[in-house]
Amino acid sequence: GAVVSQHPSWVICKSGTSVKIECRSLDFQATTMFWYRQFPKQSLMLMATSNEGSKATYEQGVEKDKFLINHASLTLSTLTVTSAHPEDSSFYICSASFSGEGADTQYFGPGTRLTVL
Amino acid sequence: GNSVTQMEGPVTLSEEAFLTINCTYTATGYPSLFWYVQYPGEGLQLLLKATKADDKGSNKGFEATYRKETTSFHLEKGSVQVSDSAVYFCALSRAGGSYIPTFGRGTSLIVHP
């Protein structure tokens, strides 16, 4: 149980274009979803937290207008990288949690490798 | 604020060796503590967790004990295998609206045959 999928698993795009990454909880209702960016040497940076039906809460230093997060349903959150540039190339990972017992545990998607040319 | 400090890697071991990856934390109150594992090219997976002092989390031969007095949650395994090669993340989570997590920087483990 508690499976999270991400799509696409990898994407290559041209500089200036926008890319959308989907994160789905397949067998549970995700009250909260998190988006991370993973840098070389494995460091994991929390970008934002989103609750279903409300605006995402962004971490300090993360541009809201550049990284658009939508959490429209209890099973789907999307991250759109707008006007992508080479410095946005990274591994993006989402995670999800549910309410109630076990709400402190996150279930991660497999990640999306974004390469901006 | 909350923080998690884990030992720098990479940790390189021979198969069947004993593993310890140190993790200490700073947090107010009583957080839940976790170890997540990331295999090459994949997302993170929950390895084990402990929710209160003196609890021991265990899974796949790995163990970690929640030590409040030393604010530690060290990961151990008695005999590692090549398939354990991965990056291990120590983390804590506290109730604060959405259980915002705090991760350590990760420790890479390389196990040689």
Side-chain angles (χ1 to χ4, degrees):
Chain A
V3 179
V4 176
S5 69
Q6 272 183 251
H7 178 80
S9 55
W10 59 270
V11 58
I12 301 172
C13 69
K14 293 182 178 180
S15 187
T17 61
S18 294
V19 174
K20 180 184 285 189
I21 302 170
E22 292 187 349
C23 177
R24 292 182 185 272
S25 57
L26 300 184
D27 53 2
F28 66 100
Q29 293 188 322
T31 313
T32 306
M33 285 186 167
F34 303 85
W35 285 95
Y36 295 85
R37 182 171 176 178
Q38 188 168 33
F39 294 93
K41 297 190 176 181
Q42 74 243 4
S43 178
L44 206 64
M45 183 190 83
L46 177 65
M47 299 175 68
T49 304
S50 73
N51 293 296
E52 183 263 340
S54 58
K55 290 184 178 180
T57 301
Y58 289 81
E59 295 298 302
Q60 194 171 9
V62 177
E63 298 176 60
K64 301 178 184 181
D65 295 332
K66 181 160 188 65
F67 298 100
L68 301 178
I69 292 170
N70 183 276
H71 190 168
S73 78
L74 283 171
T75 59
L76 173 65
S77 177
T78 60
L79 167 67
T80 302
V81 183
T82 61
S83 186
H85 288 92
E87 58 267 28
D88 299 323
S89 298
S90 194
F91 193 54
Y92 292 88
I93 306 175
C94 73
S95 70
S97 64
F98 47 81
S99 60
E101 188 175 347
D104 57 357
T105 303
Q106 293 184 60
Y107 298 92
F108 285 83
T112 297
R113 174 72 60 189
L114 170 63
T115 302
V116 185
L117 303 176
Chain B
N2 300 334
S3 67
V4 175
T5 302
Q6 58 184 109
M7 60 192 291
E8 296 262 346
V11 173
T12 305
L13 295 172
S14 297
E15 205 164 25
E16 299 183 3
F18 184 85
L19 168 71
T20 300
I21 300 178
N22 290 336
C23 172
T24 57
Y25 68 91
T26 302
T28 54
Y30 302 94
S32 296
L33 301 175
F34 303 82
W35 279 99
Y36 289 89
V37 58
Q38 184 179 30
Y39 297 102
E42 299 182 10
L44 280 71
Q45 302 173 26
L46 176 66
L47 180 60
L48 52 84
K49 65 183 275 191
T51 57
K52 60 183 187 295
D54 300 325
D55 267 4
K56 177 185 285 187
S58 61
N59 186 25
K60 300 181 181 180
F62 291 89
E63 292 183 340
T65 301
Y66 190 142
R67 301 287 188 200
K68 193 173 190 309
E69 63 277 13
T70 54
T71 62
S72 65
F73 193 55
H74 305 320
L75 181 69
E76 297 182 336
K77 186 173 185 181
S79 176
V80 293
Q81 305 300 312
V82 173
S83 57
D84 293 328
S85 298
V87 179
Y88 293 81
F89 290 89
C90 185
L92 68 82
S93 179
R94 288 202 64 239
S98 303
Y99 284 92
I100 304 298
T102 301
F103 282 84
R105 293 181 62 85
T107 301
S108 175
L109 170 64
I110 301 168
V111 181
H112 294 294

